[in-house]
Amino acid sequence: MTVNEVKPKLADTEKITINLGMIDLGQIDLLVSEGFYSNRTDLIRTAIRNQLNTHADVVRQTVARRSLVLGLHHYSRADLEAAQQAGIRLQIQVLGMASIASDVTVELALATIESISVLGALHASTAIKAALAERIK
């Protein structure tokens, strides 16, 4: 990314939807009403973090074994143009979020991105996602 290029603002969170049974939901509401959690989302986030902490060693080992980039990785037009000039085809493997700049053309993406595997979220234009659909795992 160049000094003058403005990085797009990306969401800090990704919205997911879950279905719960009425008894589970009632128990969550009870814990919220008793002040253990500020709201349903607070309890669910805490439960997820606890499970992720329980399995942290497995996550670390798998990230290393699969050579995943951990966190946020942004691919700018300049990044892809540099890869194209060097004759490099990217195999994007990210645990977290991968984003492809909005000014990247479909032609440039097809010429430089061999495959995409994202555990988390992929932010790219609809056209880029459609063009790379067969390369996204």
Side-chain angles (χ1 to χ4, degrees), residues 5 16 20 37-38 41 63 65 79 82 93 100-101 103 105 111 118 125 134-135 137:
E5 185 179 349
I16 64 169
L20 292 174
Y37 299 94
S38 59
T41 300
V63 166
R65 180 175 42 86
D79 294 333
Q93 299 185 103
I100 300 172
D103 63 347
T105 65
V118 178
S125 71
E134 291 183 4
R135 301 177 190 185
K137 300 174 187 172

PDB file of all heavy atoms in Angstrom, residues 5 16 20 37-38 41 63 65 79 82 93 100-101 103 105 111 118 125 134-135 137:
ATOM      1  N   GLU A   5      -2.376   6.060  -0.715  1.00  0.00           N
ATOM      2  CA  GLU A   5      -3.545   5.206  -0.886  1.00  0.00           C
ATOM      3  C   GLU A   5      -4.308   5.121   0.429  1.00  0.00           C
ATOM      4  O   GLU A   5      -3.741   4.878   1.483  1.00  0.00           O
ATOM      5  CB  GLU A   5      -3.123   3.803  -1.319  1.00  0.00           C
ATOM      6  CG  GLU A   5      -4.285   2.907  -1.627  1.00  0.00           C
ATOM      7  CD  GLU A   5      -3.831   1.530  -2.083  1.00  0.00           C
ATOM      8  OE1 GLU A   5      -2.641   1.341  -2.349  1.00  0.00           O
ATOM      9  OE2 GLU A   5      -4.693   0.653  -2.154  1.00  0.00           O
ATOM     10  N   ILE A  16     -23.090 -12.910  12.628  1.00  0.00           N
ATOM     11  CA  ILE A  16     -23.494 -14.290  12.374  1.00  0.00           C
ATOM     12  C   ILE A  16     -24.883 -14.498  12.982  1.00  0.00           C
ATOM     13  O   ILE A  16     -25.305 -13.758  13.867  1.00  0.00           O
ATOM     14  CB  ILE A  16     -22.502 -15.324  12.942  1.00  0.00           C
ATOM     15  CG1 ILE A  16     -22.428 -15.247  14.463  1.00  0.00           C
ATOM     16  CG2 ILE A  16     -21.121 -15.150  12.326  1.00  0.00           C
ATOM     17  CD1 ILE A  16     -21.685 -16.402  15.100  1.00  0.00           C
ATOM     18  N   LEU A  20     -31.229 -21.098  18.450  1.00  0.00           N
ATOM     19  CA  LEU A  20     -31.162 -21.721  19.772  1.00  0.00           C
ATOM     20  C   LEU A  20     -32.533 -22.249  20.151  1.00  0.00           C
ATOM     21  O   LEU A  20     -33.556 -21.676  19.774  1.00  0.00           O
ATOM     22  CB  LEU A  20     -30.732 -20.691  20.830  1.00  0.00           C
ATOM     23  CG  LEU A  20     -29.319 -20.157  20.757  1.00  0.00           C
ATOM     24  CD1 LEU A  20     -29.132 -19.051  21.781  1.00  0.00           C
ATOM     25  CD2 LEU A  20     -28.316 -21.258  20.993  1.00  0.00           C
ATOM     26  N   TYR A  37     -24.342 -11.123  32.722  1.00  0.00           N
ATOM     27  CA  TYR A  37     -23.917 -10.607  31.411  1.00  0.00           C
ATOM     28  C   TYR A  37     -24.765  -9.385  31.092  1.00  0.00           C
ATOM     29  O   TYR A  37     -25.912  -9.283  31.535  1.00  0.00           O
ATOM     30  CB  TYR A  37     -24.096 -11.681  30.317  1.00  0.00           C
ATOM     31  CG  TYR A  37     -23.263 -12.906  30.593  1.00  0.00           C
ATOM     32  CD1 TYR A  37     -23.802 -13.997  31.272  1.00  0.00           C
ATOM     33  CD2 TYR A  37     -21.928 -12.957  30.203  1.00  0.00           C
ATOM     34  CE1 TYR A  37     -23.028 -15.116  31.567  1.00  0.00           C
ATOM     35  CE2 TYR A  37     -21.151 -14.077  30.492  1.00  0.00           C
ATOM     36  CZ  TYR A  37     -21.710 -15.142  31.174  1.00  0.00           C
ATOM     37  OH  TYR A  37     -20.931 -16.234  31.454  1.00  0.00           O
ATOM     38  N   SER A  38     -24.209  -8.479  30.305  1.00  0.00           N
ATOM     39  CA  SER A  38     -24.939  -7.249  29.992  1.00  0.00           C
ATOM     40  C   SER A  38     -26.050  -7.486  28.971  1.00  0.00           C
ATOM     41  O   SER A  38     -27.050  -6.769  28.968  1.00  0.00           O
ATOM     42  CB  SER A  38     -23.981  -6.166  29.499  1.00  0.00           C
ATOM     43  OG  SER A  38     -23.291  -6.594  28.346  1.00  0.00           O
ATOM     44  N   THR A  41     -25.610 -11.058  23.567  1.00  0.00           N
ATOM     45  CA  THR A  41     -24.366 -11.050  22.786  1.00  0.00           C
ATOM     46  C   THR A  41     -23.150 -11.194  23.686  1.00  0.00           C
ATOM     47  O   THR A  41     -22.206 -11.920  23.358  1.00  0.00           O
ATOM     48  CB  THR A  41     -24.268  -9.761  21.946  1.00  0.00           C
ATOM     49  OG1 THR A  41     -25.382  -9.713  21.057  1.00  0.00           O
ATOM     50  CG2 THR A  41     -22.972  -9.695  21.164  1.00  0.00           C
ATOM     51  N   VAL A  63      -2.564 -23.465  12.444  1.00  0.00           N
ATOM     52  CA  VAL A  63      -2.120 -22.264  11.724  1.00  0.00           C
ATOM     53  C   VAL A  63      -0.707 -22.463  11.206  1.00  0.00           C
ATOM     54  O   VAL A  63      -0.409 -22.172  10.043  1.00  0.00           O
ATOM     55  CB  VAL A  63      -2.210 -21.006  12.629  1.00  0.00           C
ATOM     56  CG1 VAL A  63      -1.448 -19.841  12.034  1.00  0.00           C
ATOM     57  CG2 VAL A  63      -3.669 -20.632  12.868  1.00  0.00           C
ATOM     58  N   ARG A  65       0.913 -25.408  10.730  1.00  0.00           N
ATOM     59  CA  ARG A  65       0.952 -26.522   9.775  1.00  0.00           C
ATOM     60  C   ARG A  65       0.417 -26.119   8.409  1.00  0.00           C
ATOM     61  O   ARG A  65       0.957 -26.495   7.382  1.00  0.00           O
ATOM     62  CB  ARG A  65       0.155 -27.706  10.335  1.00  0.00           C
ATOM     63  CG  ARG A  65       0.106 -28.930   9.434  1.00  0.00           C
ATOM     64  CD  ARG A  65      -0.597 -30.122  10.084  1.00  0.00           C
ATOM     65  NE  ARG A  65      -1.790 -29.841  10.829  1.00  0.00           N
ATOM     66  CZ  ARG A  65      -3.014 -29.749  10.297  1.00  0.00           C
ATOM     67  NH1 ARG A  65      -3.195 -29.918   9.015  1.00  0.00           N
ATOM     68  NH2 ARG A  65      -4.063 -29.501  11.059  1.00  0.00           N
ATOM     69  N   ASP A  79       0.012  -4.206  -4.597  1.00  0.00           N
ATOM     70  CA  ASP A  79       0.508  -5.537  -4.214  1.00  0.00           C
ATOM     71  C   ASP A  79       0.332  -6.524  -5.367  1.00  0.00           C
ATOM     72  O   ASP A  79       1.246  -7.283  -5.697  1.00  0.00           O
ATOM     73  CB  ASP A  79      -0.247  -6.079  -2.995  1.00  0.00           C
ATOM     74  CG  ASP A  79       0.001  -5.292  -1.725  1.00  0.00           C
ATOM     75  OD1 ASP A  79       1.069  -4.669  -1.601  1.00  0.00           O
ATOM     76  OD2 ASP A  79      -0.892  -5.307  -0.852  1.00  0.00           O
ATOM     77  N   ALA A  82       2.577  -5.737  -8.351  1.00  0.00           N
ATOM     78  CA  ALA A  82       3.953  -6.168  -8.074  1.00  0.00           C
ATOM     79  C   ALA A  82       4.083  -7.679  -8.255  1.00  0.00           C
ATOM     80  O   ALA A  82       5.078  -8.161  -8.814  1.00  0.00           O
ATOM     81  CB  ALA A  82       4.358  -5.752  -6.661  1.00  0.00           C
ATOM     82  N   GLN A  93      -3.960 -17.571   1.988  1.00  0.00           N
ATOM     83  CA  GLN A  93      -4.429 -18.449   3.065  1.00  0.00           C
ATOM     84  C   GLN A  93      -4.443 -17.639   4.351  1.00  0.00           C
ATOM     85  O   GLN A  93      -3.384 -17.343   4.903  1.00  0.00           O
ATOM     86  CB  GLN A  93      -3.517 -19.658   3.211  1.00  0.00           C
ATOM     87  CG  GLN A  93      -3.459 -20.530   1.962  1.00  0.00           C
ATOM     88  CD  GLN A  93      -2.642 -21.771   2.199  1.00  0.00           C
ATOM     89  OE1 GLN A  93      -3.191 -22.839   2.375  1.00  0.00           O
ATOM     90  NE2 GLN A  93      -1.335 -21.622   2.214  1.00  0.00           N
ATOM     91  N   ILE A 100      -9.477  -7.468  -0.485  1.00  0.00           N
ATOM     92  CA  ILE A 100      -8.904  -7.107  -1.774  1.00  0.00           C
ATOM     93  C   ILE A 100      -9.420  -5.713  -2.100  1.00  0.00           C
ATOM     94  O   ILE A 100     -10.636  -5.475  -2.069  1.00  0.00           O
ATOM     95  CB  ILE A 100      -9.283  -8.119  -2.863  1.00  0.00           C
ATOM     96  CG1 ILE A 100      -8.764  -9.506  -2.483  1.00  0.00           C
ATOM     97  CG2 ILE A 100      -8.744  -7.682  -4.221  1.00  0.00           C
ATOM     98  CD1 ILE A 100      -9.224 -10.630  -3.381  1.00  0.00           C
ATOM     99  N   ALA A 101      -8.515  -4.805  -2.391  1.00  0.00           N
ATOM    100  CA  ALA A 101      -8.868  -3.400  -2.608  1.00  0.00           C
ATOM    101  C   ALA A 101      -9.935  -3.250  -3.687  1.00  0.00           C
ATOM    102  O   ALA A 101      -9.998  -4.022  -4.651  1.00  0.00           O
ATOM    103  CB  ALA A 101      -7.627  -2.600  -2.983  1.00  0.00           C
ATOM    104  N   ASP A 103     -10.179  -1.095  -5.974  1.00  0.00           N
ATOM    105  CA  ASP A 103      -9.698  -0.683  -7.299  1.00  0.00           C
ATOM    106  C   ASP A 103      -8.986  -1.808  -8.056  1.00  0.00           C
ATOM    107  O   ASP A 103      -8.470  -1.599  -9.150  1.00  0.00           O
ATOM    108  CB  ASP A 103      -8.796   0.550  -7.198  1.00  0.00           C
ATOM    109  CG  ASP A 103      -7.522   0.311  -6.392  1.00  0.00           C
ATOM    110  OD1 ASP A 103      -7.434  -0.728  -5.688  1.00  0.00           O
ATOM    111  OD2 ASP A 103      -6.629   1.166  -6.458  1.00  0.00           O
ATOM    112  N   THR A 105      -8.880  -4.754 -10.484  1.00  0.00           N
ATOM    113  CA  THR A 105      -9.735  -5.191 -11.585  1.00  0.00           C
ATOM    114  C   THR A 105      -9.866  -6.714 -11.579  1.00  0.00           C
ATOM    115  O   THR A 105      -9.011  -7.428 -11.042  1.00  0.00           O
ATOM    116  CB  THR A 105      -9.168  -4.751 -12.945  1.00  0.00           C
ATOM    117  OG1 THR A 105      -7.911  -5.421 -13.147  1.00  0.00           O
ATOM    118  CG2 THR A 105      -8.981  -3.237 -13.016  1.00  0.00           C
ATOM    119  N   ALA A 111      -5.272 -12.796 -12.983  1.00  0.00           N
ATOM    120  CA  ALA A 111      -3.889 -13.000 -13.402  1.00  0.00           C
ATOM    121  C   ALA A 111      -2.950 -13.282 -12.232  1.00  0.00           C
ATOM    122  O   ALA A 111      -1.900 -13.906 -12.421  1.00  0.00           O
ATOM    123  CB  ALA A 111      -3.397 -11.771 -14.169  1.00  0.00           C
ATOM    124  N   VAL A 118      -9.924 -18.643   3.102  1.00  0.00           N
ATOM    125  CA  VAL A 118     -10.057 -17.737   4.240  1.00  0.00           C
ATOM    126  C   VAL A 118     -10.952 -18.388   5.279  1.00  0.00           C
ATOM    127  O   VAL A 118     -12.090 -18.760   4.994  1.00  0.00           O
ATOM    128  CB  VAL A 118     -10.649 -16.374   3.818  1.00  0.00           C
ATOM    129  CG1 VAL A 118     -10.826 -15.471   5.034  1.00  0.00           C
ATOM    130  CG2 VAL A 118      -9.763 -15.692   2.787  1.00  0.00           C
ATOM    131  N   SER A 125     -14.947  -7.069  -3.851  1.00  0.00           N
ATOM    132  CA  SER A 125     -16.131  -6.696  -4.618  1.00  0.00           C
ATOM    133  C   SER A 125     -16.865  -7.942  -5.094  1.00  0.00           C
ATOM    134  O   SER A 125     -16.292  -9.028  -5.205  1.00  0.00           O
ATOM    135  CB  SER A 125     -15.728  -5.831  -5.818  1.00  0.00           C
ATOM    136  OG  SER A 125     -15.062  -6.635  -6.783  1.00  0.00           O
ATOM    137  N   GLU A 134     -14.300 -20.150  -8.447  1.00  0.00           N
ATOM    138  CA  GLU A 134     -13.733 -21.506  -8.544  1.00  0.00           C
ATOM    139  C   GLU A 134     -12.396 -21.622  -7.813  1.00  0.00           C
ATOM    140  O   GLU A 134     -11.940 -22.740  -7.553  1.00  0.00           O
ATOM    141  CB  GLU A 134     -13.564 -21.899  -9.995  1.00  0.00           C
ATOM    142  CG  GLU A 134     -14.887 -22.104 -10.714  1.00  0.00           C
ATOM    143  CD  GLU A 134     -14.707 -22.564 -12.152  1.00  0.00           C
ATOM    144  OE1 GLU A 134     -13.559 -22.807 -12.569  1.00  0.00           O
ATOM    145  OE2 GLU A 134     -15.730 -22.674 -12.855  1.00  0.00           O
ATOM    146  N   ARG A 135     -11.786 -20.500  -7.482  1.00  0.00           N
ATOM    147  CA  ARG A 135     -10.492 -20.511  -6.791  1.00  0.00           C
ATOM    148  C   ARG A 135     -10.644 -20.302  -5.283  1.00  0.00           C
ATOM    149  O   ARG A 135      -9.664 -20.374  -4.549  1.00  0.00           O
ATOM    150  CB  ARG A 135      -9.588 -19.432  -7.370  1.00  0.00           C
ATOM    151  CG  ARG A 135      -9.344 -19.610  -8.848  1.00  0.00           C
ATOM    152  CD  ARG A 135      -8.517 -18.503  -9.415  1.00  0.00           C
ATOM    153  NE  ARG A 135      -8.507 -18.589 -10.877  1.00  0.00           N
ATOM    154  CZ  ARG A 135      -7.785 -17.811 -11.653  1.00  0.00           C
ATOM    155  NH1 ARG A 135      -7.016 -16.876 -11.133  1.00  0.00           N
ATOM    156  NH2 ARG A 135      -7.839 -17.951 -12.970  1.00  0.00           N
ATOM    157  N   LYS A 137     -11.778 -21.459  -1.757  1.00  0.00           N
ATOM    158  CA  LYS A 137     -12.042 -22.724  -1.060  1.00  0.00           C
ATOM    159  C   LYS A 137     -12.771 -22.456   0.235  1.00  0.00           C
ATOM    160  O   LYS A 137     -12.558 -21.516   0.905  1.00  0.00           O
ATOM    161  CB  LYS A 137     -10.722 -23.441  -0.753  1.00  0.00           C
ATOM    162  CG  LYS A 137      -9.957 -23.760  -2.003  1.00  0.00           C
ATOM    163  CD  LYS A 137      -8.608 -24.340  -1.637  1.00  0.00           C
ATOM    164  CE  LYS A 137      -7.771 -24.497  -2.894  1.00  0.00           C
ATOM    165  NZ  LYS A 137      -6.425 -24.859  -2.636  1.00  0.00           N
TER     166      LYS A 137
END
